[in-house]
Protein backbone atom coordinates (compact mmCIF):
# COMPACT_ATOMS: atom_id res chain seq x y z
CA UNK A 1 0.00 0.00 0.00
CA UNK A 2 2.70 2.57 0.84
CA UNK A 3 4.49 1.70 -2.43
CA UNK A 4 1.34 2.34 -4.48
CA UNK A 5 0.82 5.67 -2.76
CA UNK A 6 4.40 6.70 -3.54
CA UNK A 7 4.05 5.68 -7.21
CA UNK A 8 0.80 7.63 -7.53
CA UNK A 9 2.46 10.76 -6.08
CA UNK A 10 5.39 10.39 -8.48
CA UNK A 11 3.06 9.94 -11.44
CA UNK A 12 1.03 13.01 -10.40
CA UNK A 13 4.24 15.04 -9.98
CA UNK A 14 5.49 13.96 -13.40
CA UNK A 15 2.14 14.84 -15.01
CA UNK A 16 2.14 18.28 -13.38
CA UNK A 17 5.74 18.89 -14.49
CA UNK A 18 4.88 17.93 -18.08
CA UNK A 19 1.80 20.17 -18.09
CA UNK A 20 3.78 23.14 -16.72
CA UNK A 21 6.52 22.61 -19.32
CA UNK A 22 3.96 22.50 -22.12
CA UNK A 23 2.18 25.61 -20.83
CA UNK A 24 5.50 27.45 -20.57
CA UNK A 25 6.50 26.41 -24.10
CA UNK A 26 3.16 27.52 -25.53
CA UNK A 27 3.39 30.83 -23.62
CA UNK A 28 6.89 31.45 -24.96
CA UNK A 29 5.79 30.61 -28.50
CA UNK A 30 2.82 33.00 -28.25
CA UNK A 31 5.11 35.76 -26.95
CA UNK A 32 7.51 35.45 -29.90
CA UNK A 33 4.71 35.20 -32.46
CA UNK A 34 3.13 38.39 -31.11
CA UNK A 35 6.49 40.20 -31.54
CA UNK A 36 6.94 39.10 -35.15
CA UNK A 37 7.69 42.01 -37.45
CA UNK A 38 8.83 40.02 -40.43
CA UNK A 39 8.76 41.82 -43.76
CA UNK A 40 6.22 40.88 -46.40
CA UNK A 41 6.97 40.59 -50.12
CA UNK A 42 4.53 42.54 -52.28
CA UNK A 43 5.03 43.33 -55.96
CA UNK A 44 8.70 42.37 -55.75
CA UNK A 45 9.52 44.73 -52.87
CA UNK A 46 9.80 44.01 -49.18
CA UNK A 47 7.47 46.06 -47.00
CA UNK A 48 7.67 45.95 -43.21
CA UNK A 49 4.32 45.30 -41.55
CA UNK A 50 4.18 47.40 -38.40
CA UNK A 51 4.89 51.05 -37.76
CA UNK A 52 3.65 54.52 -38.61
CA UNK A 53 3.52 55.89 -42.12
CA UNK A 54 2.61 54.30 -45.42
CA UNK A 55 4.58 51.99 -47.67
CA UNK A 56 6.81 54.03 -49.94
CA UNK A 57 5.62 53.66 -53.52
CA UNK A 58 8.22 54.50 -56.12
CA UNK A 59 11.59 56.14 -55.87
CA UNK A 60 12.31 58.05 -52.63
CA UNK A 61 14.66 60.34 -54.57
CA UNK A 62 11.68 62.29 -55.93
CA UNK A 63 10.96 63.48 -52.37
CA UNK A 64 14.54 64.58 -51.70
CA UNK A 65 16.30 67.85 -52.53
CA UNK A 66 18.53 67.64 -55.60
CA UNK A 67 21.58 68.82 -53.66
CA UNK A 68 22.96 65.86 -51.71
CA UNK A 69 20.37 63.46 -53.13
CA UNK A 70 22.79 60.55 -53.64
CA UNK A 71 23.96 60.79 -50.02
CA UNK A 72 20.37 60.84 -48.73
CA UNK A 73 19.30 57.88 -50.89
CA UNK A 74 22.25 55.90 -49.52
CA UNK A 75 21.32 57.00 -45.99
CA UNK A 76 17.79 55.68 -46.45
CA UNK A 77 19.11 52.37 -47.76
CA UNK A 78 21.26 51.77 -44.66
CA UNK A 79 18.50 52.67 -42.19
CA UNK A 80 18.67 56.41 -41.55
CA UNK A 81 15.48 58.48 -41.40
CA UNK A 82 15.28 61.67 -43.48
CA UNK A 83 12.97 64.55 -42.60
CA UNK A 84 12.34 66.79 -45.61
CA UNK A 85 10.75 70.20 -45.08
CA UNK A 86 9.90 73.23 -47.19
CA UNK A 87 9.40 76.15 -44.78
CA UNK A 88 12.45 77.66 -43.07
CA UNK A 89 10.63 77.86 -39.74
CA UNK A 90 10.38 74.04 -39.68
CA UNK A 91 14.16 73.59 -39.54
CA UNK A 92 14.61 74.27 -35.80
CA UNK A 93 11.92 71.89 -34.49
CA UNK A 94 13.00 69.16 -36.92
CA UNK A 95 16.66 69.53 -35.98
CA UNK A 96 15.69 69.32 -32.29
CA UNK A 97 13.64 66.19 -32.99
CA UNK A 98 16.52 64.61 -34.92
CA UNK A 99 18.96 65.29 -32.05
CA UNK A 100 16.51 63.96 -29.48
CA UNK A 101 15.89 60.71 -31.37
CA UNK A 102 19.37 59.95 -32.71
CA UNK A 103 21.83 62.38 -31.12
CA UNK A 104 24.03 64.99 -32.73
CA UNK A 105 24.71 64.62 -36.46
CA UNK A 106 27.65 62.29 -36.95
CA UNK A 107 28.99 60.59 -40.08
CA UNK A 108 29.62 57.38 -38.11
CA UNK A 109 25.96 57.21 -37.05
CA UNK A 110 24.88 58.02 -40.60
CA UNK A 111 27.03 55.24 -42.05
CA UNK A 112 25.60 52.80 -39.50
CA UNK A 113 21.99 53.70 -40.35
CA UNK A 114 21.38 55.29 -36.95
CA UNK A 115 20.98 58.97 -37.89
CA UNK A 116 17.96 61.20 -38.38
CA UNK A 117 18.83 63.68 -41.15
CA UNK A 118 17.06 66.94 -41.89
CA UNK A 119 16.97 68.31 -45.44
CA UNK A 120 15.23 71.29 -47.02
CA UNK A 121 13.42 71.10 -50.33
CA UNK A 122 11.59 74.38 -50.97
CA UNK A 123 8.73 72.78 -52.89
CA UNK A 124 7.86 70.32 -50.10
CA UNK A 125 4.52 71.12 -48.47
CA UNK A 126 4.67 70.47 -44.72
CA UNK A 127 7.11 67.73 -43.71
CA UNK A 128 7.83 64.42 -45.41
CA UNK A 129 9.47 61.77 -43.24
CA UNK A 130 11.24 59.04 -45.19
CA UNK A 131 12.64 55.67 -44.21
CA UNK A 132 13.91 52.92 -46.47
CA UNK A 133 10.43 51.67 -47.39
CA UNK A 134 8.06 54.01 -45.56
CA UNK A 135 6.81 57.58 -45.90
CA UNK A 136 4.85 59.88 -43.61
CA UNK A 137 3.46 63.24 -44.73
CA UNK A 138 2.48 65.80 -42.11
CA UNK A 139 1.45 69.43 -42.18
CA UNK A 140 3.57 70.45 -39.21
CA UNK A 141 7.11 69.97 -37.94
CA UNK A 142 5.67 69.52 -34.44
CA UNK A 143 3.35 66.63 -35.35
CA UNK A 144 3.96 63.84 -32.78
CA UNK A 145 3.70 61.24 -35.56
CA UNK A 146 7.14 62.38 -36.78
CA UNK A 147 8.77 61.17 -33.55
CA UNK A 148 6.87 57.88 -33.69
CA UNK A 149 7.95 57.44 -37.31
CA UNK A 150 11.62 58.14 -36.55
CA UNK A 151 11.60 55.86 -33.49
CA UNK A 152 9.92 53.03 -35.40
CA UNK A 153 12.00 53.08 -38.59
CA UNK A 154 15.44 54.26 -37.49
CA UNK A 155 17.96 51.51 -38.19
CA UNK A 156 15.72 49.53 -40.53
CA UNK A 157 17.42 49.69 -43.87
CA UNK A 158 16.46 48.11 -47.15
CA UNK A 159 16.35 44.68 -45.50
CA UNK A 160 13.39 45.71 -43.32
Amino acid sequence: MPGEHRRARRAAGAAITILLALAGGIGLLLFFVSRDEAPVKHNGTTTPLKGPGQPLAGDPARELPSQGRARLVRALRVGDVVLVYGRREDEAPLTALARDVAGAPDSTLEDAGQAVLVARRRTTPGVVALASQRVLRTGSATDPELRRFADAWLGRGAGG
Side-chain angles (χ1 to χ4, degrees):
M1 183 84 162
E4 288 179 31
H5 184 60
R6 193 177 306 151
R7 270 185 265 157
R9 283 181 44 194
R10 282 186 187 163
I16 289 172
T17 302
I18 290 170
L19 286 174
L20 287 175
L22 283 172
I26 290 170
L28 194 58
L29 179 65
L30 290 174
F31 171 76
F32 284 116
V33 168
S34 72
R35 306 283 302 163
D36 186 12
E37 295 182 9
V40 170
K41 290 260 185 194
H42 179 68
N43 292 335
T45 62
T46 303
T47 304
L49 289 176
K50 297 180 182 177
Q54 300 296 318
L56 182 61
D59 185 9
R62 64 188 165 104
E63 303 285 353
L64 300 169
S66 57
Q67 186 174 10
R69 183 174 287 160
R71 174 184 151 243
L72 295 174
V73 168
R74 184 197 164 288
L76 289 171
R77 231 184 347 262
V78 298
D80 295 324
V81 170
V82 179
L83 305 175
V84 182
Y85 67 97
R87 297 181 306 238
R88 286 195 188 278
E89 58 268 17
D90 289 339
E91 182 176 11
L94 292 175
T95 300
L97 171 67
R99 284 179 177 269
D100 194 39
V101 171
D106 180 330
S107 62
T108 305
L109 286 176
E110 187 177 327
D111 292 342
Q114 295 296 315
V116 177
L117 306 172
V118 178
R120 182 163 188 246
R121 182 174 169 243
R122 285 186 221 155
T123 59
T124 298
V127 177
V128 177
L130 295 163
S132 175
Q133 299 172 21
R134 302 295 279 193
V135 63
L136 173 72
R137 298 175 197 290
T138 69
S140 167
T142 58
D143 188 327
E145 282 297 304
L146 289 170
R147 174 178 296 278
R148 283 192 275 282
F149 184 91
D151 284 336
W153 300 112
L154 184 62
R156 293 187 181 186

